[in-house]
Amino acid sequence: MYRDTVYIAGLLHDIGKVAERTKNFLVENKFTHIGTGHPKYSAYVMEQLINTSTFFYKYNYDLMNLVLYHHEPRNDHEKIILLADKLSSKEREEGETNEKYFNVPLRPIFSRLFEGHNENFGYELNPLSISTGFPKENANVTTQEYSTYFDAFYKELTVLENETQLYYILEKYLWCVPAQTTNYIPDISLFDHLKTTAAIALCLFDEYQCGSLSQQELTLMDNNTNSHFMLINGDISGIQDFIFNMPSKGAAKSLKGHSVYIALVTDAITRYLIKELRLKEANVLYNGGGNFYILAPKSCEEKFLTLRTKISEILLKSHQGTLYLALDYILLSPSDFSAFNVQWERVKQKVNVYKNKKWSEIGLQEHYADIFGPKGTGAQENEHCKLCGTEKGERRIEYVPDSEKSYCTLCKSYIDLTDKLKDADYLVIKEVIADNEHTVNEYIDVFRAFGFDYSFINRKNVNEDDFKSAFLINDTSFLESGCQGFIMGAYRLPFNENGKGQLTFKEISEKSKGDPKIALLKLDVDNLGNLFFKGLGKNSTISRVTALSRMLALYFEGYINYLIEKNNWQQYLYVVFSGGDDTFIVGAWDKVLDFVQEFYNKFREFTCYHHRITFSAGIGVFRYDFPVIMSSRLVEEALENAKGYVESGEVTPSKNKISLFGEIFNWSEFAAVREFKSLLCEIMNKHYSKKNKESAGRSFLYKIWKSTLGFKRILQDSLNGKVDNIRFWRLAYYLKDIARDDSEKLINKYKEIVLNNLFSKSAERQIKNIMVVPAAVKWAQMETRNKEEDV
C-alpha cells in the first residue's frame, strides 16, 4: 500500500501549482514551517481531496506529507520524491524572472528544438482533445482562466475511483499547464513532469526496498553514478509485409485489421511487462507505431530476461517468424538523466542489433525447426492459408468469398477485427488468466497468451461490466461514462451512407473526381532521430523526451481524426495506420491530394512553423485492383525518393518534399501544381462542354504541357534573380489562340511563379522544378476525365 502512496505522491507532488496560479487560496498561514510555496498548495489540495474523495481517503495523511515535504525531506521516502523530482526536472533552463508567473503560458516543446528561442507561441488552457495541441501566437493566461480551469479539474479529481483514471485526468487537464514559470523557460507541461517523477519515484522505491539503493546514495541525489534503472525498448519488425502482403481483392476488409492488430499486440506486450514487473502507467514513457519505451528499476533485470524469452516464444508460435519483437535494455544511473536523449538513442541502437540476429534470445538451436522450417507437409489447393501458409492440419482453413481465397482462422479473424472497428466507441481491455497452452486460432488468442482480452464495442452494445475496463476512443470525457481513460487512434473506416456496409477499394475509387482511381499515401517525419538526439539539446532530460514523443503522437493519432471529420472525408479516406510519426492512407485519389496538403499545413502550424520540423510524403495513383503488396512498395519507394532527393547546390538531401506522378516537389511547388491545375480546370469547364472536353479539352491541355519548354528558361532565370521579358512575350504569343482573358490568367500564373522566386526569402518557398506544369496538366486530365472511359 505504501508503495502505491509513493507513486501517487509522485503524480501529485506539484498539483498545487495549478491552485496557486488561481490566486484564490490562502495557505501561507496553514503550513508556516514550510519554506517553499507550491508544496503548501499541493498539500492543501491533497488535504481537501482526502476529506472528500473515497479514493484519496485510503492514502490518508501519508500522501499529504510526501507531497508537503518533497522539497524539505525529513526521511528517506520523502527524499525519494525529491530525487525523482530533480531527475525529472533537470530540463529547466534559466530564463528571465517573471513576477507575473501565473500569467505565463506553456511554451511548445517544438519552438525550443535546436536551441530555438521563439517565445511568440504558447498554449491556452483547454482540456486535451483530438482538436487541441495547436499553439497560439502571443498566448496569455489569466488568474480567472486558471480559476475556471482548476474548478473543472478538481471536480473530476473528486469523483475518480482508481489510479488509472487519475493518470488520464492529469493528462487531460495538465498537458497545457507549465510545470515551472519562475526563473525558467516554461516549455515542459506539468503532466510530463508529474508522469516522469512518478515513474522515477516508483523505481527508486523498489530499489530502496530491496536494499540496492542506500541512504548514502539518496544523499548523493543526482550525482549518484550507480545503476538503479533500466530503460527498456521494444520494436516490432516485419510490420510492412504483415500488413500489405495480401491479395487486392477484399483487401479493404483485412488491411485495417492487420494494422490495428500490430497496435494492440504492442499494447498487450507493454501491459504484460508492466504487470509482471509490477510497474504503473507512468512507467510507459512511449507506446506507438509498434515501438515502446519503459522505465523500470534495475532490480527487475533478471525477471525481464525471463519475460523477454517468453514474449519471443509466444510471437514465434503465433506468427511463424513473420513478426519479431526486438527487445532489450540499458542500465542507467541518476547522473545519466541529464542527457536522456543520449540514453534513448543508446537503447535504440542496442535494439537494432537484435533485429540483425532475430530469435537469438530464445536459442537458435533449440528452436531451429520453428524458425527455419520447413513448415507443414504439403497441402491440396484450398487446404492452406493463402496469406500465412498455414496448412489444414495446423489450423482450420475457411473460404472467404470477398477475396475468393482460403484463409486460416487466424488470418480470417483480422477481417472480423476490421468489421468490429466500423462503429466502435470503446476499446475494452480486460485482464484474463494467461493461456499457458497458447493455442492460436484467432488474433484474440495471442492477447490472451499475455493475459489480456481486447474488444471494440459501440455504445449500443456496451454493458456496465465493460466500463470497468473501457477506454473511450478519441474522446477525453471518459469519466462521464464511467470509463478508465481514453485512447486515440484512427480506427474508423469508410462506410456507405447508411453506415452498414464497409466500402471496398473499388467503391472508394468510384467516389474520386473524374478518373476512378485510388491513391496510396505514405508520409513520415523527417530526421526524427535527429529531433531527439540533437534537437532537444544538452538539457534533454526524460521530461523533454517524453513531451516530444507525446505531442507528435497527439497529432498523428488524435488530430488526424478531427481533420478527416472536419472536411467530411470519412467516406473517401481509408487510414491504414497513423501513429508515432507516420501515416499510410488509401483513398479516392483527389481527396488524398487534398488531405496531404492540409495535413502538412496543419503540421507546420502544430510545430510552430519550425523550419527543421517537417515531413515528406510519397503518393502513387493506381487502379483499385492493382496488387496491394506492389502498390505499397512503390509508394514506399516514392517516399524514399522524396527524402533522398538532392537539389542543385545541396550536398545532402534537405527532405521536406513530396513525390507525385514520379516527380519530386517541395511543398511550395506542390501548392503551385494545385493552383495551376485549378486554373486549367476552370478554363476547361468554361469553354469545353462534356462532349468536346475529351477532344478539344485534351488539345488545350497538350498545348499547356508543351509550354513547359518555353517556361523552363524563364524559371531558371528567376532562380538567378533575372527576368527576360522577351521570353514572356514569346510565351504569350504561343498561347494566343486561347481566349484572351484566359491566356492572360495563364500568363499571370507564370508571372506569379517568377515573382515568388525573385522575392522569396526562403529557398524552400521557391518554385524550382519545371515539372510543376506537366504535373498540373496530369492532375487536370484526371480530374476532368469522364468516369465512363476505360480505366
Side-chain angles (χ1 to χ4, degrees):
M1 180 65 182
Y2 196 78
R3 181 176 186 268
D4 292 340
T5 304
V6 170
Y7 172 71
I8 299 298
L11 282 177
L12 298 173
H13 72 284
D14 278 351
I15 194 175
K17 289 183 176 181
V18 190
E20 183 180 13
R21 294 168 195 167
T22 68
K23 294 302 175 183
N24 289 342
F25 301 93
L26 301 176
V27 300
E28 292 301 322
N29 297 327
K30 186 171 182 61
F31 305 106
T32 55
H33 58 293
I34 298 295
T36 311
H38 71 265
K40 300 178 182 181
Y41 288 91
S42 296
Y44 175 79
V45 173
M46 292 314 307
E47 186 177 45
Q48 301 306 306
L49 287 171
I50 288 169
N51 291 331
T52 57
S53 162
T54 54
F55 170 73
F56 289 105
Y57 177 77
K58 65 185 178 182
Y59 296 104
N60 59 57
Y61 284 85
D62 288 338
L63 177 58
M64 192 187 84
N65 287 331
L66 285 170
V67 168
L68 179 62
Y69 292 99
H70 78 269
H71 274 297
E72 302 170 37
R74 305 165 302 172
N75 55 51
D76 288 346
H77 291 148
E78 292 166 1
K79 286 181 180 178
I80 284 174
I81 303 298
L82 172 60
L83 176 54
D85 183 22
K86 287 173 68 70
L87 295 181
S88 170
S89 61
K90 274 191 169 184
E91 80 284 337
R92 295 175 185 166
E93 295 184 55
E94 291 189 7
E96 295 181 0
T97 301
N98 191 333
E99 292 182 1
K100 294 186 177 180
Y101 61 90
F102 43 86
N103 288 338
V104 178
L106 175 67
R107 304 296 180 193
I109 186 73
F110 302 110
S111 68
R112 303 279 297 119
L113 294 182
F114 298 101
E115 300 183 356
H117 293 279
N118 190 339
E119 296 187 7
N120 293 328
F121 293 100
Y123 295 111
E124 297 177 342
L125 297 178
N126 287 304
L128 186 67
S129 74
I130 60 173
S131 62
T132 55
F134 286 84
K136 304 291 184 183
E137 288 194 77
N138 304 313
N140 190 35
V141 291
T142 65
T143 54
Q144 181 56 48
E145 289 171 335
Y146 259 119
S147 180
T148 303
Y149 201 63
F150 177 78
D151 288 345
F153 173 46
Y154 183 82
K155 182 180 179 181
E156 296 208 7
L157 287 176
T158 60
V159 296
L160 64 86
E161 298 176 348
N162 56 61
E163 66 183 36
T164 297
Q165 290 179 333
L166 170 62
Y167 176 86
Y168 284 98
I169 289 172
L170 293 176
E171 182 175 7
K172 175 180 176 178
Y173 284 99
L174 304 185
W175 75 274
C176 58
V177 175
Q180 183 77 344
T181 58
T182 55
N183 302 321
Y184 296 97
I185 297 172
D187 61 337
I188 297 299
S189 78
L190 186 53
F191 170 71
D192 289 302
H193 174 56
L194 296 179
K195 168 193 168 87
T196 52
T197 299
I200 295 168
L202 190 67
C203 293
L204 291 173
F205 182 83
D206 284 355
E207 286 287 287
Y208 181 81
Q209 288 298 102
C210 72
S212 297
L213 179 65
S214 66
Q215 288 183 324
Q216 183 180 3
E217 287 177 305
L218 271 177
T219 304
L220 287 172
M221 288 287 159
D222 51 339
N223 293 317
N224 183 2
T225 58
N226 294 326
S227 296
H228 291 291
F229 302 91
M230 298 171 64
L231 180 59
I232 300 168
N233 177 216
D235 192 5
I236 293 183
S237 61
I239 294 176
Q240 186 83 4
D241 286 344
F242 177 79
I243 293 176
F244 294 103
N245 190 10
M246 63 180 61
S248 292
K249 190 173 180 61
K253 295 281 189 179
S254 189
L255 267 179
K256 188 64 177 180
H258 280 74
S259 169
V260 171
Y261 172 79
I262 292 293
L264 296 185
V265 78
T266 308
D267 188 74
I269 292 170
T270 305
R271 289 177 183 275
Y272 173 68
L273 287 169
I274 292 298
K275 178 184 175 183
E276 295 296 321
L277 299 178
R278 298 181 64 241
L279 302 176
K280 306 281 188 177
E281 283 95 349
N283 291 90
V284 182
L285 304 182
Y286 173 75
N287 179 19
N291 191 22
F292 61 83
Y293 290 83
I294 294 173
L295 187 70
K298 183 179 180 293
S299 54
C300 291
E301 191 172 9
E302 187 176 339
K303 181 70 177 291
F304 168 78
L305 294 174
T306 302
L307 296 174
R308 180 172 68 176
T309 299
K310 184 172 182 180
I311 290 168
S312 292
E313 288 174 346
I314 291 173
L315 289 179
L316 180 59
K317 184 175 180 181
S318 301
H319 300 291
Q320 291 83 47
T322 304
L323 293 177
Y324 172 73
L325 177 68
L327 183 62
D328 209 354
Y329 69 99
I330 58 173
L331 296 177
L332 302 178
S333 70
S335 62
D336 291 325
F337 279 69
S338 60
F340 206 78
N341 62 332
V342 175
Q343 315 308 332
W344 197 266
E345 184 66 20
R346 270 183 60 210
V347 72
K348 178 182 174 183
Q349 293 302 323
K350 199 174 179 191
V351 163
N352 285 339
V353 171
Y354 263 95
K355 291 182 180 180
N356 296 322
K357 53 176 187 178
K358 294 179 180 178
W359 311 111
S360 58
E361 69 277 6
I362 62 173
L364 296 180
Q365 285 187 331
E366 296 90 326
H367 295 82
Y368 185 89
D370 295 327
I371 297 169
F372 299 106
K375 306 286 194 310
T377 58
Q380 299 286 327
E381 184 69 19
N382 296 328
E383 290 188 353
H384 70 281
C385 180
K386 294 292 185 179
L387 288 184
C388 69
T390 298
E391 296 180 0
K392 186 176 181 180
E394 303 171 71
R395 199 177 289 143
R396 194 169 73 255
I397 307 297
E398 298 179 6
Y399 182 75
V400 180
D402 286 333
S403 62
E404 298 179 355
K405 304 287 183 182
S406 295
Y407 293 162
C408 70
T409 51
L410 175 60
C411 292
K412 183 179 179 296
S413 71
Y414 301 133
I415 299 175
D416 299 333
L417 176 57
T418 303
D419 186 59
K420 291 174 182 176
L421 296 170
K422 64 182 179 183
D423 55 359
D425 298 303
Y426 308 99
L427 173 59
V428 178
I429 307 173
K430 295 181 179 180
E431 283 194 31
V432 296
I433 299 174
D435 179 10
N436 293 323
E437 295 297 323
H438 185 213
T439 302
V440 179
N441 290 313
E442 299 180 1
Y443 70 85
I444 198 68
D445 295 324
V446 183
F447 305 149
R448 287 170 180 164
F450 294 114
F452 294 94
D453 202 344
Y454 288 72
S455 56
F456 287 93
I457 300 176
N458 62 27
R459 285 186 169 86
K460 295 178 182 177
N461 299 325
V462 70
N463 59 55
E464 285 298 319
D465 187 56
D466 289 330
F467 285 124
K468 298 176 183 177
S469 310
F471 292 82
L472 196 56
I473 297 175
N474 294 328
D475 187 346
T476 60
S477 304
F478 65 96
L479 272 187
E480 296 173 13
S481 55
C483 293
Q484 300 307 297
F486 55 86
I487 185 171
M488 294 184 182
Y491 296 115
R492 294 294 176 95
L493 295 173
F495 276 77
N496 54 29
E497 282 74 5
N498 60 25
K500 292 183 178 180
Q502 182 193 329
L503 296 179
T504 65
F505 287 159
K506 182 177 187 296
E507 291 169 328
I508 292 174
S509 72
E510 291 169 348
K511 287 181 171 291
S512 297
K513 192 172 185 178
D515 205 347
K517 296 275 198 336
I518 59 171
L520 274 66
L521 162 69
K522 174 74 185 292
L523 62 88
D524 69 26
V525 175
D526 296 320
N527 305 312
L528 181 67
N530 199 45
L531 293 184
F532 283 88
F533 192 61
K534 293 184 178 179
L536 287 171
K538 62 182 180 180
N539 293 314
S540 52
T541 56
I542 187 171
S543 292
R544 297 178 72 82
V545 171
T546 56
L548 180 56
S549 300
R550 182 180 56 78
M551 289 303 294
L552 284 172
L554 175 61
Y555 187 81
F556 286 95
E557 296 170 16
Y559 179 73
I560 187 173
N561 301 283
Y562 175 79
L563 183 67
I564 290 173
E565 186 173 347
K566 175 187 174 185
N567 290 280
N568 295 313
W569 289 331
Q570 300 96 314
Q571 293 187 331
Y572 302 93
L573 300 181
Y574 182 114
V575 183
V576 180
F577 60 77
S578 186
D581 72 311
D582 62 354
T583 297
F584 198 109
I585 288 178
V586 180
W589 71 268
D590 58 308
K591 295 299 189 292
V592 169
L593 297 185
D594 291 343
F595 167 83
V596 73
Q597 181 71 73
E598 184 70 5
F599 200 55
Y600 178 82
N601 292 342
K602 299 304 290 187
F603 183 70
R604 300 289 291 127
E605 180 185 347
F606 190 83
T607 56
C608 306
Y609 302 100
H610 196 298
H611 70 285
R612 297 181 71 171
I613 313 175
T614 59
F615 68 65
S616 295
I619 296 177
V621 180
F622 306 93
R623 280 177 54 104
Y624 71 88
D625 55 355
F626 192 82
V628 172
I629 186 67
M630 293 285 292
S631 57
S632 65
R633 288 175 180 172
L634 289 172
V635 170
E636 189 73 35
E637 287 178 15
L639 175 59
E640 291 174 4
N641 291 338
K643 285 181 173 289
Y645 184 75
V646 180
E647 294 183 350
S648 177
E650 286 184 341
V651 178
T652 58
S654 57
K655 302 185 180 181
N656 193 24
K657 301 287 193 299
I658 179 171
S659 174
L660 176 67
F661 302 138
E663 298 292 336
I664 309 300
F665 302 106
N666 64 38
W667 290 94
S668 293
E669 291 167 344
F670 180 68
V673 172
R674 173 187 297 278
E675 292 171 7
F676 205 86
K677 176 271 305 182
S678 297
L679 178 57
L680 296 178
C681 289
E682 177 189 324
I683 294 172
M684 288 186 71
N685 292 328
K686 179 179 177 182
H687 293 290
Y688 305 108
S689 65
K690 187 174 181 180
K691 279 187 176 181
N692 67 0
K693 190 176 288 185
E694 294 307 315
S695 53
R698 293 290 177 259
S699 297
F700 161 72
L701 289 178
Y702 180 70
K703 190 174 188 68
I704 300 301
W705 179 80
K706 285 193 70 176
S707 73
T708 304
L709 298 175
F711 185 57
K712 183 175 182 180
R713 186 61 183 270
I714 297 174
L715 185 67
Q716 290 172 340
D717 285 345
S718 71
L719 293 171
N720 295 317
K722 298 185 294 183
V723 178
D724 189 335
N725 287 325
I726 294 177
R727 294 186 188 280
F728 258 119
W729 294 337
R730 289 174 180 168
L731 183 60
Y733 181 77
Y734 173 76
L735 300 173
K736 69 182 186 307
D737 55 345
I738 300 172
R740 182 174 179 180
D741 59 333
D742 293 323
S743 63
E744 287 182 359
K745 286 181 181 178
L746 288 167
I747 289 297
N748 286 336
K749 180 57 67 176
Y750 285 121
K751 286 181 178 178
E752 184 181 312
I753 293 173
V754 169
L755 290 173
N756 173 78
N757 286 350
L758 290 173
F759 297 106
S760 178
K761 295 180 180 179
S762 169
E764 293 177 356
R765 295 181 180 274
Q766 290 185 323
I767 312 299
K768 306 173 187 178
N769 190 345
I770 188 59
M771 297 306 290
V772 294
V773 177
V777 170
K778 174 68 174 176
W779 193 336
Q781 283 177 332
M782 293 184 65
E783 190 167 305
T784 56
R785 186 172 188 175
N786 292 330
K787 290 186 184 293
E788 289 79 10
E789 290 186 80
D790 291 333
V791 295

